[in-house]
Amino acid sequence: MLQPSTGTGDSLLETLPHWSKRPRWALSLALCVALLWLPGAAGSTLNCHKTCICASNIVSCSKMNLTIVPTGLPLYTAVLDLSYNEITRLRSEWTPVKLLKLHNLLLSHNGLHFLSSEAFIYVKHLRYLDLSSNNLRQLDEFIFEPLVNLEVLLLYNNHISQIDRAAFIGMLNLQKLYLSQNQISRFPMELVKEKSRLEKLTLLDVSSNRIKTLPIDELKVLPAWIKNGLYFHNNPLLCHCDLYTLLAHWYIRKLNSAVDFKDDYTCLLPGPQKTQVRVFELSGDYMNCSTFVEADEEAFLEQTLTLGCDTKHRGMSKTWMMPGNVMVTPGSNQTAKVLRDGSLQISPVRSEDAGTYTCIAMSEVFNETIYIVLKVHNFTMHGNGETLNTAYTTLVGCLASVVLVLMYLYLTPCRCFCCPSKGKGRGEDSIHSSMLSVTPTHEDPTLKAELNRHVAFIDSKDLQGQNGKLNPNGDEDDEEMDAETGSLMKGKRKKSVAESISSVFSDTPMVV
């Protein structure tokens, strides 16, 4: 078993006191020779029989109390296990040769607190790196930049409180990043948001840290395959309804991050006591948050609409079904077509396109079905509501008809027979009056006698005035008229006499 080499020079001088009187060069030479024979010195050179286990391309030196990485590692080494040792510093020269075939490096449980900026320049083909359960406190910029092929990075159970925004730049193939059980107070949104995210990252674990707030709006718009592996439970989050809505949506979609750790998502209620409650209980008596309901898609007539099939996994083949279980097929005359990324494009949108759309996503190991309800407004996007639906149009038409009828009945000009006679006495006659009935309305004996007297004919030409119209007043031709007729025209009558019929036509008998 290898022992630490710390204090080797002091123990050597104690065992060989007479060497202290020798010249300095002789003492140095003796120290170098002695280091080669000390038990702890064996850690500098790989020993597959005593300190490590070598099995084909695997080298395991776990739990050997090593303080440095053994040298002389075979170039064919693919897996190197140095966990559970005492390697506190990883310098750039820990391996003097390039290990081009090394793809797994395990350095957990070492008390590691220093990483050189050039620690990984000779192991660029790493795909799995375990630095968990150490004493790392910060991650500097570009520290992992050489690891362009790394897929899994374990940094959980450290003391990391500072992460440079450029710490993970260049890790183009990173898929899983574990940062739980640290002292991180800021959510590393740059790793997952659009334009700056790691394109292949499918799992980011920042649970059990010191994060109090989350960028809710930015998390909402992330693709489902990212949210499916985004873990932030066991953080001192502040309670609010937006947090509840976010996780409730994830739970309805059956995302692993919300389903697997539903009871571990907690938050602190506002107030001096900072009571800790479960996030999914905020819809009850704590904050009375509204129950989450999945929103429907909305569209307008004639617009181009794209429906996304937001699956929990990437690279799935997608098939779409339109309302009525009609499959979308390429080359058909349908207004809908499937795009390269698996989304469905509808152009132009019609009223009959409303309904439930089904996206069926399949892969070798996973199947998923997503339903999207589409509502189509019966007017164009820029119409400002000018095009009304049929029911509303009918109602407006009915109201307009009623208004027009009322206007016709009550606002039309009054007929002459219902207007009061202006400038005439009670007994004046009007030649414009015409009654349908000759039945007297008042029992006047004098009028009855006059009605029974005789019938006279008035020539229409004698009553013509300006423009060939009748002159009802008779001012110009009173002297030429028959005396008896003129006296009749000028005689006073009561206005209520309905038996007299004034005529303006020639050869029409008048009652005199």
Side-chain angles (χ1 to χ4, degrees):
M1 181 179 296
L2 298 179
Q3 301 295 331
S5 59
T6 304
T8 303
D10 295 338
S11 61
L12 181 61
L13 289 176
E14 292 177 0
T15 56
L16 301 173
H18 60 281
W19 280 95
S20 60
K21 299 180 181 180
R22 298 288 180 177
R24 184 175 297 275
W25 64 269
L27 180 62
S28 300
L29 179 61
L31 288 173
C32 293
V33 174
L35 287 174
L36 296 176
W37 293 97
L38 287 175
S44 60
T45 303
L46 177 66
N47 189 332
C48 290
H49 301 286
K50 296 182 178 180
T51 60
C52 299
I53 298 176
C54 302
S56 183
N57 59 354
I58 298 176
V59 177
S60 176
C61 303
S62 179
K63 299 181 180 180
M64 293 298 178
N65 295 327
L66 299 178
T67 58
I68 59 175
V69 180
T71 58
L73 295 171
L75 298 180
Y76 55 79
T77 303
V79 179
L80 177 59
D81 185 1
L82 298 171
S83 60
Y84 292 94
N85 282 290
E86 299 177 11
I87 304 173
T88 59
R89 301 172 69 87
L90 193 65
R91 300 181 180 274
S92 59
E93 63 273 10
W94 70 271
T95 171
V97 295
K98 295 182 179 180
L99 300 176
L100 301 181
K101 296 185 178 181
L102 184 65
H103 57 74
N104 280 32
L105 177 59
L106 292 77
L107 284 165
S108 63
H109 297 90
N110 268 283
L112 189 66
H113 61 81
F114 173 78
L115 287 176
S116 172
S117 59
E118 299 178 351
F120 305 107
I121 58 174
Y122 287 163
V123 289
K124 294 183 178 180
H125 296 278
L126 278 180
R127 296 200 301 269
Y128 183 95
L129 176 59
D130 186 1
L131 297 173
S132 63
S133 300
N134 283 294
N135 293 325
L136 298 175
R137 297 185 179 275
Q138 65 181 30
L139 300 177
D140 298 328
E141 61 178 349
F142 308 119
I143 189 172
F144 301 111
E145 185 180 19
L147 303 177
V148 293
N149 297 304
L150 194 68
E151 298 175 358
V152 180
L153 176 57
L154 282 65
L155 289 166
Y156 63 85
N157 194 25
N158 276 278
H159 302 283
I160 300 173
S161 59
Q162 298 181 8
I163 301 178
D164 192 277
R165 294 179 182 271
F168 303 101
I169 286 183
M171 306 182 72
L172 304 178
N173 291 288
L174 188 63
Q175 299 176 15
K176 299 179 180 181
L177 176 58
Y178 297 87
L179 289 167
S180 62
Q181 302 180 51
N182 280 285
Q183 300 176 12
I184 302 171
S185 59
R186 182 188 65 86
F187 185 86
M189 192 66 201
E190 65 275 3
L191 298 178
V192 294
K193 71 177 181 180
E194 190 69 28
K195 297 182 180 179
S196 65
R197 71 180 178 214
L198 302 178
E199 290 296 329
K200 294 186 178 181
L201 188 66
T202 58
L203 188 149
L204 174 61
D205 186 1
V206 291
S207 60
S208 302
N209 276 280
R210 298 181 179 180
I211 301 173
K212 294 183 179 181
T213 59
L214 294 172
I216 300 293
D217 294 336
E218 294 181 277
L219 292 176
K220 286 181 179 180
V221 298
L222 292 177
W225 60 267
I226 292 182
K227 294 185 287 189
N228 187 57
L230 195 57
Y231 300 87
F232 51 83
H233 53 277
N234 288 333
N235 274 285
L237 300 170
L238 301 179
C239 294
H240 52 85
C241 290
D242 289 342
L243 177 62
Y244 164 78
T245 302
L246 178 73
L247 287 174
H249 181 205
W250 293 14
Y251 187 80
I252 290 176
R253 286 293 314 274
K254 302 299 181 183
L255 301 182
N256 295 337
S257 54
V259 174
D260 297 343
F261 296 92
K262 178 182 178 182
D263 296 334
D264 294 323
Y265 282 99
T266 59
C267 60
L268 301 176
L269 291 173
Q273 296 181 352
K274 299 294 183 181
T275 305
Q276 187 180 56
V277 299
R278 294 177 180 176
V279 174
F280 286 93
E281 295 178 354
L282 294 181
S283 60
D285 297 333
Y286 290 112
M287 297 190 71
N288 196 25
C289 297
S290 301
T291 303
F292 177 80
V293 179
E294 192 75 50
D296 299 331
E297 289 284 344
E298 296 185 354
F300 301 87
L301 294 178
E302 300 180 3
Q303 79 169 101
T304 298
L305 176 68
T306 302
L307 300 178
C309 188
D310 197 11
T311 58
K312 296 188 291 185
H313 297 271
R314 303 182 71 180
M316 304 181 71
S317 60
K318 301 171 183 178
T319 304
W320 283 89
M321 303 289 290
M322 297 179 66
N325 294 328
V326 179
M327 180 177 292
V328 179
T329 56
S332 62
N333 294 327
Q334 299 169 331
T335 57
K337 65 177 180 179
V338 181
L339 303 180
R340 285 188 174 182
D341 60 355
S343 57
L344 183 70
Q345 185 182 80
I346 305 174
S347 178
V349 174
R350 303 169 301 177
S351 299
E352 53 268 28
D353 291 329
T356 301
Y357 290 77
T358 306
C359 176
I360 303 173
M362 295 178 293
S363 66
E364 295 181 356
V365 296
F366 186 80
N367 293 337
E368 185 178 2
T369 302
I370 299 175
Y371 300 95
I372 301 176
V373 179
L374 176 62
K375 294 182 178 179
V376 179
H377 297 286
N378 200 23
F379 51 87
T380 60
M381 181 180 296
H382 304 290
N384 297 324
E386 293 177 357
T387 304
L388 306 178
N389 56 42
T390 305
Y392 187 70
T393 305
T394 305
L395 178 60
V396 172
C398 292
L399 292 176
S401 300
V402 171
V403 171
L404 291 175
V405 170
L406 293 176
M407 290 176 62
Y408 176 79
L409 292 177
Y410 294 100
L411 299 182
T412 53
C414 188
R415 302 299 180 186
C416 292
F417 65 85
C418 67
C419 296
S421 299
K422 296 182 181 180
K424 296 182 180 180
R426 181 176 178 85
E428 289 183 352
D429 190 13
S430 174
I431 200 169
H432 295 292
S433 299
S434 176
M435 305 303 295
L436 298 178
S437 175
V438 295
T439 306
T441 58
H442 298 280
E443 298 295 332
D444 191 339
T446 307
L447 292 177
K448 287 183 178 181
E450 293 179 356
L451 290 174
N452 295 328
R453 186 174 299 176
H454 65 274
V455 177
F457 293 91
I458 302 176
D459 192 357
S460 60
K461 65 180 181 179
D462 296 331
L463 297 178
Q464 289 182 357
Q466 188 177 2
N467 297 328
K469 296 182 180 180
L470 296 178
N471 188 356
N473 298 326
D475 294 338
E476 297 178 359
D477 302 326
D478 284 345
E479 296 179 357
E480 299 177 359
M481 296 178 66
D482 180 81
E484 186 176 3
T485 303
S487 63
L488 179 62
M489 294 295 295
K490 292 183 180 181
K492 294 183 179 180
R493 297 181 183 177
K494 292 183 179 181
K495 188 175 181 179
S496 59
V497 177
E499 294 84 357
S500 62
I501 302 178
S502 300
S503 176
V504 295
F505 299 100
S506 60
D507 300 332
T508 303
M510 291 187 64
V511 180
V512 295

